Amino acid sequence: MAKFIVAKDFHIELDNCKYGSPYIRIKMPIDFSYLDLIQIIKIYTNYKDTYEWDFFFPYYQMNLLSKHKKEELGNIKIRQYFEVPPNMDCIYGPIKINIGKMAKSFNKYHKVYPVAFEAAGIFPSEEEFRNKKLLKDITKKYTEEDLKEFNSILKEYFKNKYKISDEIYPGEESFYGNMLIKK
């Protein structure tokens, strides 16, 4: 029997700046943790944990994940809270990052690292938003070479962290596939 895990396509975009919404679209296993999601954003943006990372779901007016310490987010799987709401917000200091599932993006996935398949704009640096320069126009776009480099960093990080188990998820009707385990 072939090994596979379930992945979805997500967008990660800046939500509260006037120059538009720089974003990345990424194919990612839903069995990743919220700490993995923070790591993906950090790789993409070069943010260094200067501020707290808070997640909340605007549709439900609940702040389920922000009450957890960063270490605990490593044990909470994306699929635990992200099955119903179409998106969530991640607050990092003065910026709001919107993370959403793309419509009809359920994939059988044989790799254990995310793949970015589209990127545009550039998120502001921490120095820029510390100096309140969020409203400037961003003209630089990511090139295909930038995206290849980003993908290689993601691949290297996650291939050393996870592997696909031989074990199938027990008793979950909505989720079929092998378990993802840390190496």
Side-chain angles (χ1 to χ4, degrees):
M1 181 171 136
K3 291 183 182 181
F4 69 90
I5 54 176
V6 175
K8 290 192 182 220
D9 297 339
F10 288 85
H11 70 260
I12 300 170
E13 63 184 39
L14 202 53
D15 202 35
N16 65 336
C17 295
K18 296 197 177 189
Y19 53 72
S21 296
Y23 68 89
I24 182 169
R25 289 187 183 171
I26 195 162
K27 186 177 293 180
M28 180 172 61
I30 60 172
D31 210 27
F32 274 1
S33 71
Y34 281 87
L35 195 56
D36 294 327
L37 190 53
I38 290 172
Q39 187 62 38
I40 291 167
I41 294 169
K42 283 170 57 177
I43 289 171
Y44 184 66
T45 60
N46 290 318
Y47 296 162
K48 306 289 184 214
D49 290 331
T50 305
Y51 302 98
E52 292 293 319
W53 296 89
D54 288 322
F55 293 97
F56 71 95
F57 299 97
Y59 285 96
Y60 294 127
Q61 299 297 316
M62 61 183 175
N63 221 7
L64 286 176
L65 296 173
S66 65
K67 66 182 178 188
H68 295 282
K69 293 183 179 163
K70 192 171 170 199
E71 302 78 41
E72 293 172 342
L73 291 175
N75 297 320
I76 302 172
K77 306 292 183 191
I78 290 171
R79 64 187 173 86
Q80 286 177 248
Y81 288 120
F82 219 148
E83 281 300 312
V84 178
N87 67 355
M88 68 179 166
D89 291 325
C90 175
I91 305 299
Y92 179 70
I95 66 170
K96 182 165 77 168
I97 300 168
N98 182 271
I99 301 162
K101 295 182 287 192
M102 306 301 284
K104 298 181 182 177
S105 64
F106 191 72
N107 308 294
K108 289 184 178 178
Y109 203 52
H110 64 279
K111 295 176 181 165
V112 294
Y113 49 84
V115 175
F117 56 98
E118 190 175 355
I122 293 187
F123 281 73
S125 68
E126 287 189 25
E127 184 178 311
E128 286 174 321
F129 58 72
R130 264 197 311 264
N131 295 329
K132 303 192 184 318
K133 292 184 180 177
L134 278 175
L135 303 179
K136 71 174 196 148
D137 289 331
I138 290 180
T139 55
K140 183 179 178 195
K141 301 285 183 191
Y142 278 90
T143 65
E144 213 170 299
E145 289 77 30
D146 293 332
L147 208 50
K148 283 181 187 175
E149 183 181 338
F150 177 59
N151 277 331
S152 68
I153 293 168
L154 283 173
K155 178 179 178 181
E156 196 60 36
Y157 178 82
F158 283 99
K159 83 174 184 180
N160 293 323
K161 186 171 182 180
Y162 288 109
K163 67 178 181 177
I164 302 175
S165 164
D166 291 328
E167 203 175 336
I168 303 291
Y169 269 94
E172 294 193 37
E173 295 176 17
S174 65
F175 186 85
Y176 297 102
N178 298 77
M179 293 179 74
L180 193 62
I181 55 174
K182 291 182 181 178
K183 288 184 177 179

